[in-house]
Amino acid sequence: LVQKRLCDFGNDFSQLVAVTRARVPVIKGCYLNAQNPYTKDNSLAFDICFFNDIAIRNSTLLKEYTLVDPRAKDLMLIVKKW
């Protein structure tokens, strides 16, 4: 259902894949109009997880890191790309 709704946005999303056999259901994709300065095409790769409370806590923790030190965002993106 979520994957179908994302497809309704037309050309804003690409590479949408539902990973249904994972321990936690995930939808992976790419948002093409993100204006991301860290990629050549300004896109942003993403994962949407369901029923995963730890992921919410981890995301909150990463946001807190960036509030403490703005350089943390650059470090996280470098590590993710690596």
Side-chain angles (χ1 to χ4, degrees), residues 6 17 25 57 81:
L6 289 173
V17 177
R57 290 189 190 121
K81 191 168 186 173

Side-chain angles (χ1 to χ4, degrees), residues 7-74:
C7 288
D8 290 343
F9 284 94
N11 296 330
D12 289 341
F13 296 94
S14 71
Q15 304 169 8
L16 293 174
V17 177
V19 184
T20 57
R21 295 180 184 245
R23 183 176 50 86
V24 176
V26 175
I27 293 179
K28 295 181 174 224
C30 186
Y31 179 51
L32 300 175
N33 298 321
Q35 299 177 1
N36 180 4
Y38 299 99
T39 61
K40 291 179 182 177
D41 63 356
N42 296 323
S43 66
L44 180 67
F46 66 87
D47 299 341
I48 300 174
C49 302
F50 300 91
F51 312 117
N52 191 354
D53 294 336
I54 260 299
I56 294 170
R57 290 189 190 121
N58 286 343
S59 295
T60 303
L61 180 62
L62 293 175
K63 181 178 180 181
E64 294 293 327
Y65 287 158
T66 63
L67 294 175
V68 172
D69 188 340
R71 298 174 298 171
K73 181 178 179 180
D74 293 332

